[in-house]
Amino acid sequence: MADGTAVRTLVAPTEMSRRAGRLIHRFVLTSTLVSFTLAFVFPLYWMASGALKSSAELARSAPTLTPHSWHPESYSAAWSSVGLGHYFLNTLLLAAGAWAFQLVVDVSAAYALSKLRPALGNVVLGMMLATLMLPVSALLVPTYLTVVDVPLIHVNLINTPFAVWLPAAANAFNIFVLKRFFDQIPAELLDSARIDGAGPVRVLVSVVLPLSRPVLAVVSIFAVVGVWKDFLWPMLVLPDPAKQPITVALNRLAIDMPANQLLAGMVMASIPLLVLFLIFQRHILAGLTAGSLKG
Protein backbone atom coordinates (compact mmCIF):
# COMPACT_ATOMS: atom_id res chain seq x y z
CA MET A 1 0.00 0.00 0.00
CA ALA A 2 1.10 3.59 -0.64
CA ASP A 3 0.67 4.63 2.99
CA GLY A 4 2.78 1.74 4.24
CA THR A 5 -0.05 -0.27 5.75
CA ALA A 6 -0.27 -3.94 4.86
CA VAL A 7 -3.48 -5.58 3.68
CA ARG A 8 -4.06 -9.01 5.17
CA THR A 9 -5.73 -11.52 2.90
CA LEU A 10 -6.66 -15.20 3.13
CA VAL A 11 -3.82 -16.13 0.77
CA ALA A 12 -0.42 -14.58 1.29
CA PRO A 13 0.91 -12.49 -1.64
CA THR A 14 4.04 -14.62 -1.69
CA GLU A 15 1.92 -17.72 -2.28
CA MET A 16 0.04 -16.03 -5.12
CA SER A 17 3.35 -15.26 -6.83
CA ARG A 18 4.03 -18.97 -7.15
CA ARG A 19 2.49 -21.14 -9.81
CA ALA A 20 1.41 -23.82 -7.33
CA GLY A 21 -0.18 -21.20 -5.08
CA ARG A 22 -2.17 -19.75 -7.97
CA LEU A 23 -3.35 -23.19 -9.05
CA ILE A 24 -4.48 -24.10 -5.53
CA HIS A 25 -6.26 -20.75 -5.17
CA ARG A 26 -8.11 -21.19 -8.45
CA PHE A 27 -9.01 -24.78 -7.60
CA VAL A 28 -10.42 -23.85 -4.19
CA LEU A 29 -12.29 -20.85 -5.60
CA THR A 30 -13.77 -22.84 -8.48
CA SER A 31 -14.74 -25.74 -6.22
CA THR A 32 -16.45 -23.39 -3.79
CA LEU A 33 -18.39 -21.59 -6.52
CA VAL A 34 -19.46 -24.86 -8.14
CA SER A 35 -20.51 -26.37 -4.80
CA PHE A 36 -22.62 -23.37 -3.82
CA THR A 37 -24.16 -23.20 -7.30
CA LEU A 38 -25.14 -26.86 -7.18
CA ALA A 39 -26.55 -26.46 -3.67
CA PHE A 40 -28.91 -23.75 -4.88
CA VAL A 41 -29.64 -24.97 -8.41
CA PHE A 42 -30.04 -28.71 -7.80
CA PRO A 43 -33.31 -28.41 -5.78
CA LEU A 44 -34.79 -26.35 -8.62
CA TYR A 45 -33.67 -28.95 -11.16
CA TRP A 46 -35.06 -31.77 -9.01
CA MET A 47 -38.43 -30.06 -8.81
CA ALA A 48 -38.59 -29.23 -12.52
CA SER A 49 -37.45 -32.66 -13.65
CA GLY A 50 -39.75 -34.38 -11.16
CA ALA A 51 -42.71 -32.69 -12.82
CA LEU A 52 -41.69 -34.34 -16.09
CA LYS A 53 -41.71 -37.84 -14.57
CA SER A 54 -44.68 -40.13 -14.23
CA SER A 55 -46.31 -40.56 -10.84
CA ALA A 56 -45.12 -44.17 -10.75
CA GLU A 57 -41.53 -43.11 -11.32
CA LEU A 58 -41.77 -40.51 -8.57
CA ALA A 59 -43.10 -43.16 -6.19
CA ARG A 60 -40.09 -45.45 -6.64
CA SER A 61 -37.89 -45.97 -3.62
CA ALA A 62 -34.77 -45.41 -5.74
CA PRO A 63 -34.93 -41.87 -7.17
CA THR A 64 -33.89 -41.23 -10.76
CA LEU A 65 -31.76 -38.25 -11.72
CA THR A 66 -33.43 -37.81 -15.12
CA PRO A 67 -36.93 -38.87 -16.22
CA HIS A 68 -37.11 -42.32 -17.81
CA SER A 69 -40.25 -41.24 -19.65
CA TRP A 70 -41.05 -37.59 -20.30
CA HIS A 71 -44.47 -36.21 -19.39
CA PRO A 72 -44.54 -32.47 -20.19
CA GLU A 73 -48.32 -32.63 -20.22
CA SER A 74 -48.25 -32.56 -16.41
CA TYR A 75 -47.72 -28.79 -16.61
CA SER A 76 -50.78 -28.17 -18.75
CA ALA A 77 -52.79 -30.62 -16.67
CA ALA A 78 -51.82 -28.88 -13.44
CA TRP A 79 -52.79 -25.51 -14.92
CA SER A 80 -56.16 -26.59 -16.26
CA SER A 81 -57.37 -29.25 -13.82
CA VAL A 82 -57.11 -27.20 -10.60
CA GLY A 83 -57.44 -23.70 -12.05
CA LEU A 84 -54.00 -22.38 -11.15
CA GLY A 85 -54.66 -19.28 -13.23
CA HIS A 86 -57.22 -18.10 -10.68
CA TYR A 87 -54.79 -18.56 -7.80
CA PHE A 88 -52.07 -16.79 -9.76
CA LEU A 89 -54.37 -13.77 -10.07
CA ASN A 90 -55.09 -13.91 -6.33
CA THR A 91 -51.36 -13.96 -5.60
CA LEU A 92 -50.73 -11.09 -8.02
CA LEU A 93 -53.44 -9.03 -6.34
CA LEU A 94 -52.00 -9.64 -2.88
CA ALA A 95 -48.46 -8.89 -4.02
CA ALA A 96 -49.45 -5.67 -5.83
CA GLY A 97 -51.45 -4.37 -2.88
CA ALA A 98 -48.72 -5.23 -0.37
CA TRP A 99 -46.17 -3.50 -2.59
CA ALA A 100 -48.24 -0.31 -2.75
CA PHE A 101 -48.94 -0.24 0.99
CA GLN A 102 -45.32 -0.95 1.86
CA LEU A 103 -44.01 1.85 -0.34
CA VAL A 104 -46.42 4.40 1.11
CA VAL A 105 -45.96 3.43 4.76
CA ASP A 106 -42.26 2.53 4.78
CA VAL A 107 -41.11 5.48 2.66
CA SER A 108 -43.10 7.90 4.81
CA ALA A 109 -41.75 6.42 8.05
CA ALA A 110 -38.15 6.35 6.83
CA TYR A 111 -38.37 9.92 5.50
CA ALA A 112 -39.81 11.18 8.78
CA LEU A 113 -37.13 9.43 10.86
CA SER A 114 -34.30 10.51 8.57
CA LYS A 115 -35.12 14.07 7.54
CA LEU A 116 -37.95 15.38 9.71
CA ARG A 117 -36.36 13.99 12.90
CA PRO A 118 -39.37 13.88 15.24
CA ALA A 119 -39.03 13.75 19.00
CA LEU A 120 -38.02 10.30 20.25
CA GLY A 121 -37.36 9.25 16.67
CA ASN A 122 -34.41 7.06 17.66
CA VAL A 123 -36.56 5.36 20.28
CA VAL A 124 -39.25 4.64 17.69
CA LEU A 125 -36.64 3.28 15.27
CA GLY A 126 -35.17 1.11 18.01
CA MET A 127 -38.59 -0.32 18.82
CA MET A 128 -39.14 -1.05 15.13
CA LEU A 129 -35.82 -2.84 14.84
CA ALA A 130 -36.54 -4.79 18.00
CA THR A 131 -39.37 -6.54 16.17
CA LEU A 132 -36.76 -8.09 13.86
CA MET A 133 -35.36 -9.97 16.85
CA LEU A 134 -38.63 -11.81 17.38
CA PRO A 135 -39.49 -14.98 15.46
CA VAL A 136 -42.42 -14.72 13.09
CA SER A 137 -44.32 -17.36 15.06
CA ALA A 138 -44.26 -15.14 18.16
CA LEU A 139 -46.08 -12.38 16.28
CA LEU A 140 -48.76 -14.56 14.69
CA VAL A 141 -51.24 -14.56 17.57
CA PRO A 142 -51.22 -10.80 18.35
CA THR A 143 -51.30 -9.95 14.66
CA TYR A 144 -54.17 -12.35 14.04
CA LEU A 145 -56.16 -10.92 16.96
CA THR A 146 -55.56 -7.43 15.58
CA VAL A 147 -56.81 -8.44 12.13
CA VAL A 148 -59.89 -10.16 13.55
CA ASP A 149 -60.86 -7.04 15.50
CA VAL A 150 -59.01 -3.94 14.31
CA PRO A 151 -58.57 -1.53 17.24
CA LEU A 152 -60.71 1.63 17.33
CA ILE A 153 -62.75 0.79 14.21
CA HIS A 154 -63.60 -2.83 15.24
CA VAL A 155 -63.60 -4.29 11.73
CA ASN A 156 -62.95 -7.94 10.90
CA LEU A 157 -60.49 -8.22 7.98
CA ILE A 158 -60.53 -12.00 7.66
CA ASN A 159 -61.03 -13.15 4.05
CA THR A 160 -60.14 -9.69 2.72
CA PRO A 161 -56.88 -8.65 1.02
CA PHE A 162 -56.37 -6.03 3.74
CA ALA A 163 -55.58 -8.87 6.16
CA VAL A 164 -52.40 -9.42 4.11
CA TRP A 165 -51.75 -5.85 2.95
CA LEU A 166 -51.85 -4.02 6.27
CA PRO A 167 -49.55 -6.32 8.32
CA ALA A 168 -47.10 -6.38 5.40
CA ALA A 169 -47.00 -2.57 5.28
CA ALA A 170 -45.19 -2.26 8.63
CA ASN A 171 -41.83 -3.72 7.59
CA ALA A 172 -39.04 -2.71 9.96
CA PHE A 173 -36.28 -4.01 7.68
CA ASN A 174 -37.46 -1.94 4.71
CA ILE A 175 -37.80 1.14 6.91
CA PHE A 176 -34.23 0.69 8.14
CA VAL A 177 -32.86 0.22 4.60
CA LEU A 178 -34.72 3.28 3.34
CA LYS A 179 -33.67 5.42 6.28
CA ARG A 180 -30.02 4.50 5.80
CA PHE A 181 -30.25 5.57 2.18
CA PHE A 182 -32.12 8.79 2.96
CA ASP A 183 -29.44 9.67 5.54
CA GLN A 184 -26.89 9.85 2.71
CA ILE A 185 -28.84 12.44 0.73
CA PRO A 186 -27.08 15.81 1.25
CA ALA A 187 -29.04 18.21 3.42
CA GLU A 188 -28.09 21.03 1.03
CA LEU A 189 -30.39 19.61 -1.65
CA LEU A 190 -33.34 19.58 0.73
CA ASP A 191 -32.52 23.05 2.04
CA SER A 192 -32.47 24.41 -1.52
CA ALA A 193 -35.91 22.94 -2.16
CA ARG A 194 -37.24 24.45 1.08
CA ILE A 195 -35.84 27.87 0.13
CA ASP A 196 -37.79 27.61 -3.12
CA GLY A 197 -40.95 27.12 -1.07
CA ALA A 198 -41.30 23.34 -1.15
CA GLY A 199 -42.97 21.71 1.84
CA PRO A 200 -42.01 18.35 3.37
CA VAL A 201 -44.25 16.38 1.01
CA ARG A 202 -43.00 18.23 -2.06
CA VAL A 203 -39.39 17.69 -0.98
CA LEU A 204 -40.08 13.97 -0.61
CA VAL A 205 -41.78 13.63 -3.99
CA SER A 206 -39.57 15.95 -6.04
CA VAL A 207 -36.14 15.49 -4.47
CA VAL A 208 -35.85 12.40 -2.27
CA LEU A 209 -37.76 9.82 -4.31
CA PRO A 210 -36.05 10.54 -7.68
CA LEU A 211 -32.68 10.06 -5.97
CA SER A 212 -33.81 6.87 -4.26
CA ARG A 213 -34.69 4.73 -7.26
CA PRO A 214 -32.09 2.01 -6.53
CA VAL A 215 -33.24 1.42 -2.97
CA LEU A 216 -36.90 1.72 -3.96
CA ALA A 217 -36.32 -1.07 -6.48
CA VAL A 218 -34.85 -3.24 -3.73
CA VAL A 219 -37.74 -2.56 -1.36
CA SER A 220 -40.24 -3.25 -4.13
CA ILE A 221 -38.66 -6.60 -4.98
CA PHE A 222 -38.54 -7.62 -1.33
CA ALA A 223 -42.19 -6.65 -0.90
CA VAL A 224 -43.37 -8.69 -3.88
CA VAL A 225 -41.21 -11.71 -3.06
CA GLY A 226 -42.23 -11.67 0.60
CA VAL A 227 -45.94 -11.86 -0.18
CA TRP A 228 -45.57 -14.21 -3.16
CA LYS A 229 -43.77 -16.91 -1.18
CA ASP A 230 -45.65 -16.48 2.10
CA PHE A 231 -47.72 -19.46 3.18
CA LEU A 232 -48.62 -19.49 6.87
CA TRP A 233 -50.17 -16.04 7.20
CA PRO A 234 -52.41 -16.23 4.08
CA MET A 235 -53.54 -19.68 5.18
CA LEU A 236 -54.69 -18.23 8.51
CA VAL A 237 -56.43 -15.06 7.30
CA LEU A 238 -57.79 -16.32 3.96
CA PRO A 239 -59.70 -19.53 4.76
CA ASP A 240 -61.98 -19.06 1.74
CA PRO A 241 -60.49 -21.26 -1.03
CA ALA A 242 -61.58 -18.82 -3.73
CA LYS A 243 -59.41 -16.05 -2.23
CA GLN A 244 -56.27 -18.02 -1.44
CA PRO A 245 -52.90 -17.45 -3.15
CA ILE A 246 -51.17 -20.18 -5.07
CA THR A 247 -48.93 -21.30 -2.18
CA VAL A 248 -51.93 -22.05 0.04
CA ALA A 249 -53.96 -23.51 -2.82
CA LEU A 250 -51.24 -25.99 -3.77
CA ASN A 251 -50.98 -27.19 -0.19
CA ARG A 252 -54.76 -27.65 0.01
CA LEU A 253 -54.97 -29.41 -3.37
CA ALA A 254 -51.93 -31.64 -2.80
CA ILE A 255 -54.10 -34.43 -1.39
CA ASP A 256 -56.01 -34.91 -4.63
CA MET A 257 -53.31 -33.97 -7.17
CA PRO A 258 -50.87 -36.47 -8.71
CA ALA A 259 -47.32 -35.93 -7.51
CA ASN A 260 -45.99 -34.81 -10.90
CA GLN A 261 -48.78 -32.27 -11.32
CA LEU A 262 -48.11 -30.93 -7.82
CA LEU A 263 -44.44 -30.44 -8.69
CA ALA A 264 -45.47 -28.79 -11.96
CA GLY A 265 -47.62 -26.36 -10.02
CA MET A 266 -44.71 -25.57 -7.70
CA VAL A 267 -42.46 -24.92 -10.67
CA MET A 268 -44.96 -22.53 -12.24
CA ALA A 269 -45.40 -20.76 -8.91
CA SER A 270 -41.62 -20.29 -8.66
CA ILE A 271 -41.01 -19.04 -12.19
CA PRO A 272 -42.21 -15.42 -11.63
CA LEU A 273 -39.85 -14.97 -8.66
CA LEU A 274 -36.90 -16.43 -10.56
CA VAL A 275 -37.55 -14.20 -13.54
CA LEU A 276 -37.94 -11.18 -11.27
CA PHE A 277 -34.62 -11.87 -9.60
CA LEU A 278 -32.75 -12.52 -12.85
CA ILE A 279 -34.03 -9.27 -14.35
CA PHE A 280 -33.42 -7.06 -11.33
CA GLN A 281 -30.40 -8.71 -9.69
CA ARG A 282 -28.19 -5.74 -10.56
CA HIS A 283 -30.73 -3.36 -9.06
CA ILE A 284 -30.80 -5.44 -5.87
CA LEU A 285 -27.03 -5.31 -5.47
CA ALA A 286 -26.86 -1.64 -6.41
CA GLY A 287 -29.61 -0.70 -3.98
CA LEU A 288 -28.15 -2.62 -1.06
CA THR A 289 -24.62 -1.28 -1.61
CA ALA A 290 -25.60 2.30 -2.36
CA GLY A 291 -24.32 4.24 0.61
CA SER A 292 -23.47 7.67 -0.72
CA LEU A 293 -24.09 10.09 -3.53
CA LYS A 294 -21.38 11.42 -5.77
CA GLY A 295 -21.75 15.11 -6.15
Side-chain angles (χ1 to χ4, degrees):
M1 296 294 290
D3 57 358
T5 59
V7 178
R8 303 191 64 177
T9 59
L10 185 62
V11 182
T14 55
E15 293 294 333
M16 289 298 297
S17 62
R18 302 173 183 174
R19 178 180 176 83
R22 292 195 301 269
L23 291 176
I24 294 175
H25 176 263
R26 291 174 183 174
F27 173 77
V28 173
L29 179 61
T30 303
S31 301
T32 303
L33 292 177
V34 171
S35 299
F36 275 92
T37 301
L38 290 176
F40 284 98
V41 173
F42 184 75
L44 300 177
Y45 165 78
W46 189 259
M47 180 173 60
S49 63
L52 297 173
K53 301 175 182 177
S54 64
S55 298
E57 185 176 354
L58 285 173
R60 293 179 182 175
S61 57
T64 56
L65 188 60
T66 58
H68 289 172
S69 59
W70 296 78
H71 297 273
E73 67 276 3
S74 60
Y75 285 91
S76 59
W79 181 270
S80 59
S81 61
V82 298
L84 288 184
H86 173 74
Y87 300 115
F88 261 108
L89 291 178
N90 288 347
T91 309
L92 183 62
L93 174 65
L94 294 176
W99 167 76
F101 273 93
Q102 283 197 40
L103 282 188
V104 172
V105 175
D106 296 351
V107 168
S108 301
Y111 175 68
L113 293 171
S114 175
K115 299 303 180 183
L116 303 184
R117 300 190 178 279
L120 302 178
N122 290 333
V123 176
V124 174
L125 179 62
M127 295 174 64
M128 290 181 180
L129 295 179
T131 61
L132 298 177
M133 310 299 174
L134 299 174
V136 177
S137 56
L139 301 174
L140 282 178
V141 173
T143 307
Y144 183 82
L145 294 177
T146 302
V147 169
V148 171
D149 185 13
V150 180
L152 300 180
I153 60 176
H154 301 291
V155 175
N156 189 345
L157 300 179
I158 297 298
N159 272 329
T160 67
F162 291 97
V164 175
W165 293 344
L166 295 182
N171 191 304
F173 177 77
N174 287 347
I175 293 175
F176 176 73
V177 171
L178 288 166
K179 181 185 179 299
R180 291 284 295 175
F181 189 92
F182 293 165
D183 288 342
Q184 305 301 323
I185 298 178
E188 293 79 4
L189 293 178
L190 278 64
D191 294 338
S192 299
R194 295 191 185 101
I195 293 174
D196 293 337
V201 177
R202 182 64 182 274
V203 171
L204 172 64
V205 175
S206 301
V207 179
V208 175
L209 292 184
L211 295 173
S212 306
R213 291 176 182 173
V215 73
L216 290 178
V218 173
V219 171
S220 299
I221 293 171
F222 284 170
V224 173
V225 171
V227 175
W228 195 282
K229 68 182 182 64
D230 196 10
F231 166 74
L232 183 57
W233 182 248
M235 183 182 66
L236 292 176
V237 299
L238 299 174
D240 186 359
K243 299 180 180 180
Q244 292 174 346
I246 191 168
T247 53
V248 180
L250 286 175
N251 178 73
R252 177 174 51 82
L253 298 170
I255 301 176
D256 301 322
M257 289 180 66
N260 57 349
Q261 293 186 20
L262 178 62
L263 289 175
M266 293 180 179
V267 172
M268 289 186 285
S270 305
I271 287 177
L273 297 185
L274 294 175
V275 173
L276 187 69
F277 174 77
L278 292 176
I279 294 176
F280 295 103
Q281 57 178 328
R282 292 185 179 180
H283 295 78
I284 296 175
L285 297 177
L288 290 177
T289 57
S292 62
L293 297 175
K294 296 181 179 180

